[in-house]
Amino acid sequence: MADLTHLFKVGQIVKCRLDGDTHTGTVRKTYIDHIIVDIPDISDHCWFENGFNISDVQPVYDFCSGELENNYE
């Protein structure tokens, strides 16, 4: 099982699959075994965890520059 605090960062933009639809969200909190994502118009507390639904979360990258789409503190 991966440590999600090493894979996701607070403020990171992600795409999340919920009920067959894809939504853009922002990682609000990271923990070793789960992350909390704010998805506007759905919930500010979407829970994704190892071994359950973390595969429904994908980071958003800017492939033209090779950098993540947003900057982190």
Side-chain angles (χ1 to χ4, degrees):
M1 184 179 315
D3 180 349
L4 297 180
T5 61
H6 294 294
L7 298 176
F8 295 94
K9 302 296 179 203
V10 172
Q12 182 176 5
I13 304 299
V14 293
K15 294 281 186 179
C16 303
R17 191 172 48 239
L18 295 171
D19 298 327
D21 294 326
T22 302
H23 305 275
T24 301
T26 305
V27 176
R28 292 187 66 218
K29 296 181 182 181
T30 60
Y31 301 92
I32 291 173
D33 63 344
H34 70 280
I35 62 174
I36 304 298
V37 179
D38 177 5
I39 302 175
D41 299 328
I42 294 188
S43 175
D44 65 350
H45 196 90
C46 295
W47 182 297
F48 296 92
E49 66 181 88
N50 273 327
F52 180 60
N53 61 351
I54 197 65
S55 62
D56 292 332
V57 181
Q58 300 294 320
V60 174
Y61 293 101
D62 178 356
F63 289 106
C64 296
S65 70
E67 297 292 324
L68 288 173
E69 186 173 275
N70 55 345
N71 295 321
Y72 307 112
E73 286 107 34

